[in-house]
Amino acid sequence: MREDPHRDLFDLLEHGVRAGVYPGCVALVWRDGAEVYHEAHGDLGSREGAPGYLRAVSRDTVYDLASLTKVLATTSLAALAVAEGRVELTTPVPAEWDRACPGATLAHLLSHSSGLPAHREYFADLRPGRPERVLDRIAQTPPEYPLGSKAVYSDLGFMILGAWLERLFAQPLDRLFDDKIAWPLDLHRGDVPRLGFHRLLGARGPSSAQQHRVAPTEVYDPALHPEGVPSWFACRAPVRCAHYEVHDDNAFVMSGVAGHAGLFGDAAAVLELARAWLECTLPGLHPSLRDVFGPCPKCQVLRDSSAGTARAPTAAAPPPTSSRRAPPATRGSRAPACGSTLRRPTAAAR
């Protein structure tokens, strides 16, 4: 029988919908300069009464991109900051956050080797609108391991990175992303931008024009948690569903815009930004710098420090897929992603 990878992938993803692994999804495969698969599967929602119930996913459906924010937004903007001479990989973390990661540099934060823990539930007693309160909590969080001794995937490091980028460019992170990335790549148009943050500004959730363009993420129903009401329900009340508001709870109390989470986008827009990295079509991104920030084999990372360049171990902690832990059957699907990897600079980049 002749192999048909397209049909195999289609059948696999359709089976996931029927088995209840996820309500729906969009898959896009690009290889050797060509799009070889781009299909939508399933529905926006599978729970009766929830937004998007039994409404079919389309190829341009926008999803909460969760930790892909670290790569697509924060790492991209950090690379542009280096390209513009605003900061260097060896620049120390600003003093007010250095208490949480003494001696750490930009490279340490990017390579998840700063000593910061993976995650903390800062959202537990906070409400949206005061992102500086989360940053203050991070500054008071002690490091968990010696600087540069290993790689531990950390939301906290990228929260600091997001705030640091805002300071370097004197702009809010969402506006900075629009100006530096979404607008040059023409991904900023429409009632729901194809790639961008969605800042919380009072009214919760999508407008009537947006509601069928964005997939909901989680239904906040205590009946789904017979073991007890989860810790994140309090900060989400009174809304009963996360729909076009960031799913990550620390990002939620930071008004939906943070360095570790908050980006929304469709599959084709994610591809456009990935291609901009590969082909150096993002304004300001040059091949020598791209290679410094590019992926390393086997997800190894390199970091610069005052003692020189060292390779971090590959045995990093499993990446958190959200700001809380729960059985897959009760959670929306999430796509874990590496934050960033650094290669040793070439002679041209030094």
Side-chain angles (χ1 to χ4, degrees), residues 38-280:
H38 190 189
E39 300 291 348
H41 303 267
D43 300 315
L44 295 176
S46 58
R47 185 170 178 80
E48 189 171 359
Y53 176 60
L54 299 185
R55 188 179 184 93
V57 172
S58 61
R59 286 196 277 187
D60 63 352
T61 292
V62 168
Y63 283 88
D64 183 329
L65 297 178
S67 281
L68 285 178
T69 303
K70 296 180 177 72
V71 181
L72 299 174
T74 311
T75 300
S76 297
L77 291 170
L80 295 179
V82 172
E84 294 178 15
R86 297 174 185 269
V87 69
E88 297 180 355
L89 291 173
T90 54
T91 301
V93 171
E96 64 265 45
W97 303 311
D98 177 73
R99 290 178 291 165
C101 48
T105 64
L106 174 64
H108 287 111
L109 294 183
L110 286 166
S111 60
H112 297 281
S113 59
S114 67
L116 285 162
H119 170 71
R120 288 290 185 271
E121 291 194 352
Y122 301 120
F123 62 82
D125 59 349
L126 297 177
R127 302 293 292 177
R130 299 279 302 277
E132 69 278 3
R133 295 182 64 185
V134 177
L135 294 166
D136 289 344
R137 301 279 181 94
I138 295 173
Q140 297 166 24
T141 302
E144 283 199 342
Y145 59 91
L147 179 68
S149 63
K150 59 182 178 179
V152 174
Y153 183 95
S154 175
D155 281 355
L156 279 61
F158 271 72
M159 292 182 207
I160 290 175
L161 267 175
W164 191 357
L165 287 165
E166 291 185 328
R167 177 176 300 180
L168 289 170
F169 287 95
Q171 276 190 290
L173 192 64
D174 50 346
R175 189 181 306 165
L176 180 59
F177 180 83
D178 289 345
D179 290 349
K180 292 285 188 180
I181 297 174
W183 187 85
L185 297 178
D186 198 29
L187 302 175
H188 64 297
R189 301 177 186 275
D191 293 323
V192 178
R194 294 185 55 212
L195 194 64
F197 290 89
H198 185 234
R199 182 177 289 274
L200 300 172
L201 293 173
R204 302 275 298 272
S207 67
S208 57
Q210 298 167 335
Q211 61 182 338
H212 298 309
R213 292 271 293 110
V214 185
T217 315
E218 180 180 3
V219 174
Y220 300 117
D221 184 352
L224 296 173
H225 302 272
E227 72 284 359
V229 176
S231 58
W232 59 90
F233 272 35
C235 74
R236 294 288 180 164
V239 169
R240 298 296 300 275
C241 180
H243 192 194
Y244 205 24
E245 58 182 39
V246 64
H247 192 205
D248 181 281
D249 301 297
N250 282 327
F252 174 75
V253 297
M254 296 177 77
S255 298
V257 179
H260 70 296
L263 203 63
F264 287 80
D266 65 46
V270 172
L271 172 62
E272 285 302 307
L273 182 47
R275 288 184 61 185
W277 268 92
L278 289 170
E279 300 166 1
C280 284

